Amino acid sequence: MVIMKRIIYILCAVVGFTAAAQQTPAPAANKSYTIMNATAHIGNGELIENSVIVIENGKITTVADATTVKMQPKGEVINATGMHVYPGIIACNTTLGLVEIDAVKASDDDREIGTYNPHIRSLIAYNAESRVVETMRPNGVLIAQVVPRGGRISGQSSVMQMDAWNWEDAAVRVDDGVHINWPRTFSRSGSWYEPGPTIPSKNYDKQVDELTQFIAAARAYTGTGKKDLKYASLKPVLAGNATAYIHVNGEKAIRDVLGFIKDQDLKKVVLVGAQGAENVTKELVAMNIQVLAGRVHDLPARDDADYDMPYKFPKLLSDAGVLVALENSGDMERHQARNFPFYAGHTVGFGMDPEKALQLVTLNAATVLGIDKDYGSLEQGKSATLFISKGDALDMRGNQLTRAFIDGRDISLNTRQKDLNDRYMEKYSKQ
């Protein structure tokens, strides 16, 4: 009885913890807006110093230089003189909305038991009322790819927008691809607090063979007779209608993956993490393989790697002609996802052009996720998913949002943190 009471208490605390913070999603886009005089960062490498942007019916209908184009403003006029307008930041390879509190199992739903789970869909586990999701918007992170974890094949990801009543409302692209975790060629001995030397993995070849056999069985599956959801779920990937996201690190493993891609005739492949890919760029370009580069704010993956490799890694790939966007898997990945604009900004300090750095988390990310027709840049006809910042959004000092829109809806930028800040600022200002 005591245990049951404790469980009920924890569940009630989780529900209350979430409900108290979540802002009401914005209503349908039924207003027009004209954003005047801001510096527009288009997201495709272009910049308009003094811009005019018109939003109608959730779409961008005008993006122009205000000094050369004379037009009558439509709807609400937003004077953004001295400010900056950006396309919404896109966070790739996250578990946003799948876990609320790591220590509370009832709120943790980012993986399933088993090794091969291509049929598992992150979409239906997504919690649109997550308090963590809410904290993304004030930094301009308005879209995220929500990805399951665990196993050799984790399951299917979906692309979600960050202001919704439920997962149906949040979905931007459903089941965009299947996530495969390539076996590790090397493993670290010891423990996390006292790591030992890196040693070759004894089971690497066996694990690769098992994965190859599973893919072959899925390819041979015809769908007749007894239904097999696992094999059926891989059919879109094998047919080239969905992306195979292969999570892999290390030069040897990446070269093995390239051979695997050729052998399996996979049409749409994205490498995730891809540490060591700086040595395989010619092959990646030749095979038209895109990369979600691992966390920028990280330590080098190898003892002999340059100390600044994580910082300059995206630029090395980009300069070689690889289409690269950023991802953020690892420790505290859900909460750290709000730092995506600053990851892009960090690459600027290591040689990346600022507008190209912005592409890492906007148009490039949209291209990788297959949503670039509607998102990722400020272009006529695209979704009005954008935000206005007082300063440089890739710099935490300048990233101060005044307005944000998702599909033309004027969304709330309030959070529980902001409420607490205002509450205690008021308290201490009276002392």
Side-chain angles (χ1 to χ4, degrees), residues 76-362:
E76 179 185 343
V77 177
I78 302 173
N79 184 1
T81 302
M83 299 185 186
H84 301 255
V85 180
Y86 294 87
I89 303 298
I90 302 173
C92 297
N93 187 31
T94 75
T95 52
L96 284 170
L98 300 184
V99 182
E100 195 67 12
I101 305 172
D102 288 301
V104 179
K105 290 184 178 181
S107 72
D108 188 333
D109 196 14
D110 68 343
R111 67 188 65 211
E112 294 291 338
I113 60 174
T115 304
Y116 293 92
N117 293 312
H119 59 302
I120 297 301
R121 306 170 72 207
S122 65
L123 177 74
I124 56 176
Y126 178 75
N127 176 19
E129 295 189 356
S130 168
R131 183 170 174 178
V132 182
V133 166
E134 184 182 69
T135 66
M136 301 297 114
R137 300 194 296 260
N139 277 10
V141 179
L142 306 182
I143 296 176
Q145 181 194 34
V146 179
V147 181
R149 298 284 188 242
R152 183 64 60 220
I153 300 182
S154 304
Q156 303 173 50
S157 59
S158 288
V159 183
M160 319 295 277
Q161 54 91 353
M162 303 282 96
D163 183 68
W165 288 100
N166 48 49
W167 61 262
E168 291 98 331
D169 294 341
V172 171
R173 187 183 178 198
V174 173
D175 301 334
D176 67 295
V178 172
H179 291 256
I180 301 170
N181 299 302
W182 192 257
R184 295 183 180 182
T185 53
F186 292 87
S187 59
R188 230 178 236 288
S189 59
S191 60
W192 66 269
Y193 58 87
E194 191 175 351
T198 300
I199 58 176
S201 175
K202 296 179 180 179
N203 298 319
Y204 177 73
D205 292 335
K206 178 183 177 182
Q207 292 169 345
V208 171
D209 287 341
E210 290 175 350
L211 175 60
T212 303
Q213 291 171 18
F214 187 85
I215 298 294
R219 190 182 298 279
Y221 174 69
T222 62
T224 59
K226 185 178 179 180
K227 181 76 171 180
D228 191 308
L229 288 177
K230 293 187 177 183
Y231 292 155
S233 297
L234 278 176
K235 286 297 185 182
V237 170
L238 298 177
N241 298 322
T243 302
Y245 293 94
I246 303 181
H247 299 238
V248 59
N249 286 302
E251 182 179 344
K252 180 190 184 312
I254 291 173
R255 292 189 182 278
D256 289 346
V257 165
L258 298 183
F260 175 82
I261 293 168
K262 292 178 180 178
D263 292 342
Q264 299 299 325
D265 192 27
L266 299 178
K267 306 298 184 184
K268 297 173 66 175
V269 178
V270 173
L271 301 188
V272 182
Q275 295 166 341
E278 69 275 9
N279 300 318
V280 200
T281 53
K282 291 182 179 179
E283 293 89 338
L284 295 177
V285 172
M287 296 176 64
N288 193 30
I289 294 176
Q290 302 164 348
V291 171
L292 291 178
R295 183 181 292 183
V296 173
H297 291 175
D298 204 352
L299 296 173
R302 307 185 315 273
D303 293 340
D304 61 344
D306 294 347
Y307 79 93
D308 56 356
M309 181 54 72
Y311 314 144
K312 65 184 182 181
F313 180 60
K315 184 177 188 298
L316 293 176
L317 297 185
S318 181
D319 288 350
V322 179
L323 192 145
V324 57
L326 301 185
E327 64 101 9
N328 184 49
S329 58
D331 295 338
M332 298 290 290
E333 63 179 85
R334 285 171 296 283
H335 304 82
Q336 296 290 355
R338 66 179 182 270
N339 292 326
F340 261 86
F342 311 141
Y343 296 147
H346 202 105
T347 68
V348 176
F350 288 80
M352 199 87 172
D353 176 82
E355 299 309 310
K356 287 187 176 180
L358 176 64
Q359 286 183 250
L360 297 175
V361 291
T362 54

Side-chain angles (χ1 to χ4, degrees), residues 49-65:
E49 294 286 355
N50 188 3
S51 67
V52 54
I53 299 174
V54 179
I55 300 171
E56 297 178 272
N57 299 317
K59 298 287 186 179
I60 298 173
T61 58
T62 300
V63 180
D65 189 331

